[in-house]
Amino acid sequence: MDISKKIEESYVSLFGKNSDIKIKAPGRINILGEHTDYNNGFVMPSAIDKAIYFSIGKREDSKICISALDLENYYEAEDINQLESKTKDWSNHLIGVILEIKKLGFTFDNGVNICFGGDIPNGAGLSSSAAVEAGISFGLNEIFGFNLDLLQLAKIAQATEHNYVGVKCGIMDMYASLFSRKNQVIRLDCESLTHDYIPADFEKHTFILVNSAVKHNLADTEYNVRRNQCQKGVEVLNKEFGKINTLRDANFEQLEQIKAEIDPITYNRCKYILDEKERVMLASEALKQHDFEKLGEIMNQTHEGLSKMYEVSCKELDFLASEALKIEGVLGSRMMGGGFGGCTLNLIKKEAEADFKEKITSAYQHKFGIIPEIYTANLSEGVHKIA
């Protein structure tokens, strides 16, 4: 049975009738542009064919009932218009969306039943939380007729992370989940929040994700530390040159001029962001030219920067990236996501897929005693209704 049918059956079992709407909200990979989104840079994400699925329906009363199948957990409140978030609770990913919608002046004339679950591996850096927020905002928008556009929904999802989950993330994950098209890569300008689509012809190549199966508890706190370090660099740059609101506005020459005024760690963080801004542009051109060798080289440079300059990698990710490059047919390998665990993203020739999976599994198991989960990442369309 596919996941959507399983979700719907659970909905019917819980609530005694069919849902009003079924939604598929995909996770995402990010090919290039790691940690550049909250610096107003460019990113190159795409939705993938792993997703969170929802069955949603209006109630006749004002209650809200949410069943999280994967978590085997249940949330209920008497009045959808009188909700309060809880400290570090899974329900905040959905309750926060409702509270953010209410901030825009909307009210809910009915309560709602929600059942959801999916196949995005939790903690793998594929943005399962953003998929939950994007999917529920899309579904509520549809059944309550709020007429919010996709960008507004992405902002609602991002605000949910900021205000109720406690992660000061950029908008990339939600944006990719909502705006993606099949066999296309988004190049998102995180300053203007506009994008273009780059055709992604992966006829002879593919992306393989290798899940390290580790998630070091530094992840969330260090994410916010990196953001503050970038802001520290921005403050000095703006004081010196003016009109620099984020690292998007700075260049290499300006950074070198203030190098003596900032500590070496802050310098490294800022230098990485400027490098990555440039790499996204180079990667965009490589994709347009179908130059996968070049794209792989750029991915390798990004991993080096994330590991040594931005320091968000870990020994497991570094091992997976370096070991991958020893395998024939691998063009590029890098850690993906916030860091300190999760997946590596590997660009390989399709004929090398079986050999790669076998060798990387053997090497990782020998080194760390862990058999990694491995997924082929097929580029997919964004959030949508399903029959």
Side-chain angles (χ1 to χ4, degrees), residues 116-136:
F116 74 99
D119 60 357
I120 304 174
N122 191 29
L126 304 180
S127 296
S128 56
S129 62
V132 169
E133 293 145 4
I136 193 61

Side-chain angles (χ1 to χ4, degrees), residues 3 16 37 58 62 68 87-88 90 92 106 124 127 135 141 155 180 190 192 220 263 323 334 340 355 358 369:
I3 299 171
D37 57 348
K58 286 185 179 181
S62 60
T87 303
K88 293 187 177 180
W90 65 270
N92 288 345
F106 296 102
S127 296
N141 188 50
K155 288 179 177 179
S180 285
C190 295
S192 65
D220 289 346
D263 63 88
E323 204 66 24
R334 74 172 190 86
F340 306 104
D355 187 52
E358 180 183 339

Side-chain angles (χ1 to χ4, degrees), residues 61 65 86 104 166 203 242 251 258 263 265 293 305 366 379-380:
D61 57 22
C65 303
K86 299 178 183 178
L104 298 176
E203 186 178 343
N251 59 46
I258 65 149
D263 63 88
I265 291 176
E293 299 280 349
H366 182 263
L379 306 189
S380 175

Side-chain angles (χ1 to χ4, degrees), residues 32-33 42-44 187 276-284:
L32 255 293
F42 292 86
V43 289
M44 271 181 61
R187 184 174 63 188
E276 188 72 349
K277 181 171 69 171
E278 192 169 84
R279 282 191 288 261
V280 171
M281 294 304 151
L282 293 172
S284 301

Side-chain angles (χ1 to χ4, degrees), residues 1-47:
M1 183 188 301
D2 69 35
I3 299 171
S4 177
K5 288 181 179 177
K6 180 182 175 184
I7 301 295
E8 181 66 12
E9 284 195 0
S10 296
Y11 183 97
V12 172
S13 176
L14 276 169
F15 305 119
K17 59 179 180 179
N18 292 328
S19 65
D20 296 332
I21 192 171
K22 294 188 282 292
I23 300 293
K24 180 179 180 180
R28 64 98 187 99
I29 59 171
N30 185 33
I31 299 170
L32 255 293
E34 213 65 82
H35 289 274
T36 55
D37 57 348
Y38 55 83
N39 287 287
N40 278 9
F42 292 86
V43 289
M44 271 181 61
S46 175

